[in-house]
Amino acid sequence: MYKRILIATDGSELAMKGLQKGLELAAQLGARVDIVTVSEPWAVGMYDAMGWSAGYEASPEYKQDREAAAQKILQPSLDAARAAGVAEVICHHVLDRYAADGIIETADACGSDLLVMTSHGRRGMTRVLLGSQTAEVLARSKVPVLVIR
């Protein structure tokens, strides 16, 4: 059925539930798995509030910090994949992209035939105000998307 599954995660508790379900499916199907986490573009106005100086996003420390944060998400995901019995797993970190863009681009680049991700299931004004990366992926993906809640 599915031979290459892309699982998107942000390291949250809900995303870990999606990761587990995606890994279970991959193990049952003998599918290859790509796990992706996306670091969204740096919010330029945040440096004042966070105590960082202007230009941080252009510094070597920026990329190192973002990569370190991504590895804190990807390493436990890789460990979970191995524990689930998934034979082939590749982890991806997409830097400076919005989540939906990074997920879709990674699915295309990997030749994924299924995308697995989670959704908070927000509705109404909450969804309008917060947006929904899952809805964006659903609207733009060229491959089936399995949404876990």
Side-chain angles (χ1 to χ4, degrees), residues 1-147:
M1 181 176 233
Y2 299 111
K3 294 183 171 124
R4 188 148 189 184
I5 300 173
L6 177 69
I7 304 172
T9 183
D10 63 7
S12 67
E13 186 176 328
L14 180 60
M16 292 309 284
K17 180 180 172 185
L19 175 73
Q20 288 300 324
K21 292 294 184 186
L23 293 173
E24 288 172 22
L25 179 60
Q28 289 174 2
L29 298 174
R32 295 172 59 186
V33 171
D34 293 281
I35 300 171
V36 64
T37 193
V38 181
S39 297
E40 293 200 348
W42 181 251
V44 177
M46 290 296 291
Y47 67 87
D48 288 331
M50 304 291 282
W52 290 306
S53 62
Y56 169 68
E57 68 279 359
S59 71
E61 292 83 14
Y62 169 76
K63 188 172 182 179
Q64 291 170 352
D65 291 347
R66 301 297 282 238
E67 187 61 36
Q71 289 308 311
K72 287 182 182 177
I73 295 168
L74 293 173
Q75 188 58 56
S77 299
L78 180 60
D79 295 341
R82 290 182 178 144
V86 176
E88 291 187 61
V89 183
I90 300 172
C91 291
H92 307 269
H93 173 219
V94 179
L95 180 64
D96 289 340
R97 301 293 287 150
Y98 290 103
D101 295 334
I103 292 165
I104 290 169
E105 290 165 8
T106 303
D108 288 345
C110 293
S112 303
D113 51 14
L114 177 69
L115 244 157
V116 177
M117 60 189 307
T118 58
S119 175
H120 290 282
R122 293 185 178 103
R123 296 174 187 238
M125 277 310 279
T126 305
R127 181 170 174 216
V128 171
L129 294 173
L130 296 176
S132 174
Q133 295 299 303
T134 304
E136 180 85 11
V137 170
L138 283 167
R140 294 177 37 210
S141 178
K142 296 174 187 166
V143 298
V145 180
L146 174 61
V147 179

